[in-house]
Amino acid sequence: MSYTEGETVIPRNVEEEMKESYLRYSMSVIIARALPDVRDGLKPSQRRILYAMRQLNLSPGAKHRKCAKICGDTSGDYHPHGETTIYPTLVRMAQDWIMRYCLVQGQGNFGSIDGDPPAAMRYTEARLTKSAIALMEDLDKETVEYILNYDETKKEPSVFPAKFPNLLCNGSSGIAVGMATNIPPHNLNELGKATQMVLDNPNMTIEEIMQVMPAPDFPTGGMICGKSGIKEAFYTGRGKLIIRGLIHIEDHEQKGSDRQRLVIDEIPYNVNKSRLIERIAELVNSKSITGVSDIRDESDKQGMRIVIDLKRAEIPDVVINQIYKFSDMQVTFGCNMLALDNGLPRIMNIKQMIDAWVEHRIEVVRARTRFELSKAETRAHLLEGYLKALDHLDEVVKLIRSSKNRNEAKGGLMKKYAFTDRQANAILDLRLYQLTGMEREKIEKEYSELQNKIAHFRSILSSEIMVRGIIKDEIDEVMKCNAMTRKTQLVSAEEDFHMEDLIADEPMIITMSTDDYIKRMPTTTFKEQRRGGQGIIGLELKKGSDAIKAIYIASTHDTLMIFTNFGRVYWVKVWQIPEAGRRSKGKPLINLLEGLSKGEHIASQLRVRNFNEEDAQIFLVTKKGVVKKTLLHSFRSPRRKGIYAINIDNGDELIAAHIVRPKEQIMLFTHGGMAVRFDQEQVRAVGRIARGVRGVKLKGETDYVVSCEIVKGNETVLIVCEHGFGKRSNVEHFRQTSRGGIGVRSIITSKRNGPVVGALAVEDKDSVVLMASTGHTIRLIMQDIRVMGRSTQGVKVVNLKNSDTLIAMQKIEHIKEENINEKEKK
């Protein structure tokens, strides 16, 4: 490798070079770009834009100037990163849905809350607001340090004097390297009072601050749900706020109409209105939000108004909570109160941020006072020279007239009357009219006033109490100029609304098809019929080939634990299942359950109200007779994509799930007509992922388990075969054996009967819904079917058409019927 003459090559490790270079880059991003200064709440780009506008004299009363001019001056003098990066920062400071107190007043198209972009900078104009002027007030009084700009041709302030705590007023957000900030805005009146309290008592607690400033205040309004997130953010600098938009209910304008409408008045902070409306429309189309007939945006200059028309007789509160749950009408604002303090990034609580501003403002007031004191002392010094000259007016005039030039006159004055150089020059600059008696009075009056000011300034510099009092008075001035009431409401109730409280607690029939369509229907949809009836159509078939595979009964307030043949379990609230008529196909199950694999389908379901029941356990059964028991509270943490409840062998699948309690027994029924009965204590409880143990010994390779029932010994069992025949037998007639045995005959599976479809433990007052492969359903009362011996063939329980067969059965307990009758009477 050759080197140029005089060149010095230093060996350098690549890893060290990369570390050092990246560290320099990251510190540049952190300090000089992404994070705001705790003192004035501004990032360097924002500060430079405002300072450039000040240099252009764009005060609130001045004429607007083109944004292209502002961006050009900012880029050329202070921020050499291109006008296309400066303009968005300028625009943001003028958007009142982003800034709680705008620092720029825009004229023209500066975008909208719908996400519309602003017009090009050559079309828009801007000037400073009163808030921005308050931030830069006293810049010319040596209150802050000035630094050289990027090309060392000009100077710019390193920070603004900041007459009010801008960082907490307007908040800030930014992403640096390895850290980010997200500070919410607050109400200036509340913040001003809190700051004045801190000025009076530096040991003020955060709890006392929250009494006058209870929460952040967002420019778009809305409401903050709960105080715990606010307290966490105020105390630690980190916390999560739940923000909701505001919705009110209006009656339909048409007289006699029972329809209502929802009107959205305010949306959460940083939410795009157009995208919100599109999202709600998508949720309505996908049936995630029900009961909505139309949605439109009626917003204008008067304010926001998004109208949602409801269908007839819909419950508004249900739709409101669906909107909050599924759309951005409820969002989480993550507070991360990180800012630069003395040039270093630091996470601060609300008290530390106020203290940092107060400390900065004290230094500003002292620096301003020193500047004004020096100016007053300089003027007083000149006035002293004037008064001395007036006391010897004739001699002074004579000396000046006899001098050959200015320097000789100046020297003579300084020598004879002990004038200073500045006083001598000032006397020589006096005009003749200023030597009159009237002017002497003015000079004496001004001198007296200056002496009072000097004394006042010196007392300020010697007393921190006076400094703090001045800061309090200045905060009052800013508060009067920005007297805005709180926009964001604070709702004390932190917990989410429970939709179950708004939905009637009533039993529902849930049907599932072999094509995985699901729906729920009121149990009153099916009328009770006598044994042998043909029934009614319970589900319209999909393209004439879709057959019903399962029927479940549950209340609208229950949680359904849905188990698949692969051994996975999902959690679904019953009210989340779409309600439909008898002839409707329902909704694809894949829309309710996430993560279903190919070939995976529903095997069983459990209705659960309380997952913390100590004695309750889940009992699982597979097609090949494997059984397993797991504590119910092991499933109390729902997962969106489900979890595995049992480890399934190859070629096997889950067929049933039940909840068992102490002193209950298990009955397993096989396709070939056998049944085994054993105590549930013979199966010990294991973990969720365990495989289980053998529950029944099957007769032959073609046999398999079709049903599992939980009994106590005093029930009867209804056993139904494919061809519509069945019987009821007493449980006590089934001899109790050990787990894993072959069992005893449950029903004769002759050619007339066909193989066993299923079995249910029933009482006389119970009802059973049977469903055939063509979709026909019939509902039977058990007292119509007499109890028979264990080995009999049974009787016909349903008339089937042609080659139709029974494929599913489900019990409707008598207590549900009582609930239904009571609701119908009401």
Side-chain angles (χ1 to χ4, degrees):
M1 184 176 181
S2 60
Y3 300 102
T4 305
E5 185 177 352
E7 181 182 15
T8 303
V9 179
I10 302 174
R12 182 73 167 166
N13 184 288
V14 175
E15 183 179 356
E16 292 178 358
E17 179 66 25
M18 291 293 291
K19 283 183 178 179
E20 186 174 317
S21 298
Y22 191 75
L23 180 61
R24 290 176 181 173
Y25 162 74
S26 61
M27 289 305 295
S28 174
V29 172
I30 291 169
I31 296 174
R33 189 185 305 176
L35 299 184
D37 194 300
V38 71
R39 296 171 292 178
D40 63 3
L42 297 174
K43 300 176 185 178
S45 58
Q46 297 171 322
R47 189 179 300 116
R48 288 165 177 168
I49 291 170
L50 296 177
Y51 185 67
M53 293 178 72
R54 182 178 184 271
Q55 295 301 94
L56 289 171
N57 296 317
L58 298 180
S59 61
K63 184 180 178 182
H64 292 83
R65 291 292 294 273
K66 289 288 185 182
C67 291
K69 168 65 175 174
I70 298 170
C71 295
D73 282 15
T74 304
S75 177
D77 292 339
Y78 309 110
H79 197 68
H81 297 284
E83 299 171 12
T84 55
T85 61
I86 296 172
Y87 186 51
T89 305
L90 171 66
V91 168
R92 185 178 176 87
M93 289 191 290
Q95 294 176 331
D96 58 5
W97 60 95
I98 297 293
M99 303 289 287
R100 186 65 180 85
Y101 301 92
C102 291
L103 302 178
V104 174
Q105 182 186 30
Q107 183 169 273
N109 177 13
F110 274 76
S112 71
I113 198 171
D114 289 316
D116 300 320
M121 67 180 79
R122 63 182 177 272
Y123 300 120
T124 56
E125 299 177 340
R127 64 183 178 187
L128 295 170
T129 63
K130 291 182 179 179
S131 298
I133 293 297
L135 285 180
M136 295 184 282
E137 190 174 312
D138 299 328
L139 262 181
D140 297 331
K141 296 183 178 180
E142 300 177 1
T143 52
V144 295
E145 180 187 3
Y146 274 74
I147 57 176
L148 291 171
N149 67 341
Y150 68 94
D151 61 358
E152 299 185 355
T153 59
K154 295 179 181 292
K155 286 190 174 184
E156 61 176 305
S158 60
V159 68
F160 284 163
K163 203 172 182 179
F164 64 96
N166 179 58
L167 181 60
L168 288 174
C169 279
N170 277 317
S172 184
S173 63
I175 300 174
V177 178
M179 59 185 68
T181 183
N182 200 28
I183 303 171
H186 295 75
N187 185 274
L188 177 57
N189 291 334
E190 296 175 353
L191 178 59
K193 292 176 182 177
T195 306
Q196 289 174 334
M197 290 169 58
V198 173
L199 285 165
D200 287 334
N201 180 14
N203 297 321
M204 185 70 60
T205 64
I206 296 177
E207 184 177 354
E208 291 172 321
I209 290 174
M210 291 185 68
Q211 292 178 1
V212 296
M213 189 175 68
D217 187 23
F218 297 99
T220 54
M223 57 184 175
I224 300 174
C225 300
K227 295 183 179 179
S228 62
I230 301 170
K231 284 186 176 180
E232 189 177 2
F234 278 18
Y235 275 88
T236 68
R238 296 179 183 269
K240 292 183 178 180
L241 311 180
I242 298 175
I243 308 174
R244 283 180 170 171
L246 289 186
I247 306 176
H248 75 267
I249 303 169
E250 288 183 359
D251 291 327
H252 202 277
E253 295 174 356
Q254 185 177 352
K255 289 187 177 181
S257 174
D258 58 352
R259 293 189 180 188
Q260 293 178 301
R261 61 172 53 144
L262 306 178
V263 178
I264 298 175
D265 303 302
E266 298 173 1
I267 62 176
Y269 187 56
N270 281 337
V271 171
N272 185 301
K273 177 161 68 71
S274 291
R275 291 179 189 170
L276 173 66
I277 295 172
E278 290 174 6
R279 176 59 179 160
I280 295 176
E282 290 173 2
L283 293 168
V284 171
N285 292 334
S286 65
K287 307 300 183 184
S288 296
I289 295 179
T290 58
V292 174
S293 62
D294 186 28
I295 178 171
R296 59 190 178 276
D297 187 3
E298 296 181 356
S299 303
D300 54 21
K301 293 182 179 180
Q302 304 302 320
M304 186 178 298
R305 181 178 171 86
I306 303 171
V307 179
I308 301 173
D309 289 333
L310 303 182
K311 295 179 181 177
R312 182 172 285 105
E314 282 293 331
I315 303 174
D317 289 334
V318 173
V319 181
I320 288 174
N321 284 284
Q322 288 174 338
I323 292 172
Y324 282 141
K325 181 173 184 180
F326 298 115
S327 75
D328 281 345
M329 276 296 286
Q330 175 175 309
V331 296
T332 300
F333 185 95
C335 295
N336 189 25
M337 302 174 77
L338 176 71
L340 294 176
D341 184 23
N342 292 322
L344 297 176
R346 178 186 173 199
I347 293 179
M348 292 175 277
N349 60 34
I350 199 75
K351 175 67 162 44
Q352 291 169 333
M353 282 192 165
I354 295 175
D355 285 340
W357 179 84
V358 167
E359 183 179 346
H360 167 64
R361 193 61 190 168
I362 288 174
E363 289 301 317
V364 167
V365 171
R366 283 177 172 168
R368 183 185 65 193
T369 304
R370 285 192 292 267
F371 173 83
E372 291 177 339
L373 174 62
S374 175
K375 188 176 178 180
E377 287 177 338
T378 300
R379 178 62 177 168
H381 179 64
L382 295 179
L383 293 179
E384 286 175 356
Y386 290 163
L387 292 173
K388 185 187 290 187
L390 290 173
D391 289 339
H392 305 85
L393 182 58
D394 294 338
E395 292 85 350
V396 168
V397 171
K398 185 177 180 181
L399 188 153
I400 294 173
R401 290 186 64 184
S402 63
S403 300
K404 294 181 180 180
N405 52 44
R406 181 183 179 96
N407 288 334
E408 184 179 338
K410 176 181 172 183
L413 290 173
M414 294 175 63
K415 183 178 180 180
K416 185 172 183 179
Y417 299 104
F419 287 122
T420 64
D421 183 81
R422 184 177 295 176
Q423 286 176 331
N425 280 324
I427 291 170
L428 291 174
D429 290 336
L430 281 175
R431 297 176 183 178
L432 290 175
Y433 79 88
Q434 291 179 297
L435 303 178
T436 63
M438 186 178 294
E439 288 299 320
R440 179 184 180 92
E441 291 179 5
K442 289 182 179 180
I443 293 171
E444 289 177 345
K445 182 180 179 182
E446 183 182 357
Y447 181 74
S448 176
E449 290 175 352
L450 281 174
Q451 292 301 316
N452 293 333
K453 285 184 179 180
I454 290 171
H456 177 65
F457 292 149
R458 287 175 177 170
S459 62
I460 291 175
L461 292 174
S462 62
S463 172
E464 185 172 324
I465 294 176
M466 290 186 67
V467 173
R468 290 176 177 268
I470 291 170
I471 297 173
K472 286 179 59 180
D473 294 340
E474 291 176 344
I475 291 176
D476 278 331
E477 294 176 12
V478 178
M479 289 165 59
K480 289 177 182 177
C481 295
N482 298 274
M484 293 187 185
T485 57
R486 166 172 282 275
K487 291 185 177 182
T488 304
Q489 302 177 15
L490 181 60
V491 181
S492 59
E494 186 173 0
E495 62 274 4
D496 293 331
F497 294 120
H498 296 287
M499 293 190 65
E500 288 86 348
D501 297 336
L502 305 171
I503 297 172
D505 187 4
E506 55 188 4
M508 290 284 174
I509 294 178
I510 301 171
T511 61
M512 298 183 189
S513 68
T514 55
D515 228 12
D516 280 337
Y517 273 72
I518 187 171
K519 70 174 181 178
R520 63 183 170 99
M521 299 175 286
T523 53
T524 52
T525 302
F526 304 98
K527 296 180 180 179
E528 292 182 354
Q529 298 181 12
R530 294 301 176 185
R531 177 171 59 87
Q534 288 189 356
I536 57 177
I537 296 294
L539 187 70
E540 184 176 316
L541 304 183
K542 183 184 179 185
K543 297 181 181 179
S545 62
D546 194 17
I548 300 302
K549 70 173 180 180
I551 307 172
Y552 305 120
I553 305 296
S555 169
T556 49
H557 284 203
D558 292 342
T559 297
L560 280 187
M561 294 182 67
I562 299 179
F563 295 83
T564 70
N565 58 324
F566 286 4
R568 290 174 64 85
V569 59
Y570 295 84
W571 291 260
V572 175
K573 288 288 188 181
V574 173
W575 57 263
Q576 292 177 324
I577 300 172
E579 185 174 349
R582 292 197 311 268
R583 298 181 180 274
S584 171
K585 291 187 290 289
K587 182 177 183 179
L589 189 58
I590 194 171
N591 291 348
L592 296 177
L593 308 181
E594 291 189 31
L596 285 178
S597 305
K598 185 177 180 180
E600 190 173 11
H601 57 78
I602 303 304
S604 183
Q605 63 83 28
L606 289 179
R607 181 191 66 196
V608 180
R609 287 234 177 185
N610 181 16
F611 283 93
N612 295 319
E613 189 177 348
E614 294 183 0
D615 295 334
Q617 300 173 89
I618 291 181
F619 193 87
L620 304 175
V621 183
T622 71
K623 195 171 184 177
K624 291 188 175 181
V626 176
V627 297
K628 174 191 171 184
K629 191 170 67 173
T630 304
L631 295 174
L632 176 61
H633 66 71
S634 298
F635 298 89
R636 61 190 170 190
S637 300
R639 306 275 180 85
R640 187 165 49 91
K641 295 187 177 181
I643 60 173
Y644 279 99
I646 184 173
N647 189 5
I648 301 288
D649 295 337
N650 290 334
D652 198 3
E653 62 181 68
L654 184 69
I655 65 160
H658 290 277
I659 293 180
V660 296
R661 295 175 175 83
K663 298 182 181 180
E664 290 183 336
Q665 298 172 339
I666 309 298
M667 291 192 72
L668 302 179
F669 299 85
T670 70
H671 187 66
M674 301 299 292
V676 61
R677 173 186 169 205
F678 58 89
D679 196 291
Q680 63 98 2
E681 297 294 341
Q682 294 186 25
V683 181
R684 69 180 183 88
V686 293
R688 285 193 293 104
I689 310 300
R691 173 187 178 275
V693 295
R694 177 190 288 181
V696 61
K697 185 175 182 180
L698 301 175
K699 293 178 65 176
E701 295 183 358
T702 59
D703 198 12
Y704 57 88
V705 178
V706 295
S707 286
C708 171
E709 283 297 299
I710 310 300
V711 298
K712 294 182 179 179
N714 56 352
E715 304 95 338
T716 60
V717 177
L718 173 67
I719 305 167
V720 177
C721 298
E722 280 188 359
H723 296 161
F725 290 86
K727 69 169 185 178
R728 284 179 68 193
S729 299
N730 289 317
V731 169
E732 60 186 14
H733 292 167
F734 293 82
R735 178 171 50 87
Q736 186 170 346
T737 61
S738 298
R739 172 184 60 80
I742 296 177
V744 297
R745 175 70 60 185
S746 62
I747 192 171
I748 297 175
T749 53
S750 60
K751 186 176 180 180
R752 184 198 76 163
N753 287 355
V756 176
V757 172
L760 292 171
V762 296
E763 298 178 357
D764 286 345
K765 294 183 179 181
D766 289 335
S767 298
V768 170
V769 173
L770 303 176
M771 189 163 286
S773 58
T774 57
H776 285 76
T777 59
I778 187 169
R779 184 173 174 184
L780 303 174
I781 300 177
M782 288 300 96
Q783 64 185 8
D784 289 343
I785 301 178
R786 66 184 180 88
V787 179
M788 303 178 183
R790 178 173 55 80
S791 299
T792 56
Q793 290 195 40
V795 296
K796 180 172 286 190
V797 294
V798 60
N799 287 330
L800 300 175
K801 293 183 178 180
N802 300 326
S803 59
D804 200 5
T805 58
L806 293 178
I807 53 92
M809 58 188 299
Q810 182 68 39
K811 178 173 66 176
I812 305 176
E813 298 176 359
H814 179 61
I815 187 171
K816 298 295 182 184
E817 301 297 331
E818 291 177 350
N819 290 339
I820 293 171
N821 292 335
E822 289 177 5
K823 292 179 184 297
E824 288 178 347
K825 289 177 181 178
K826 291 181 180 179

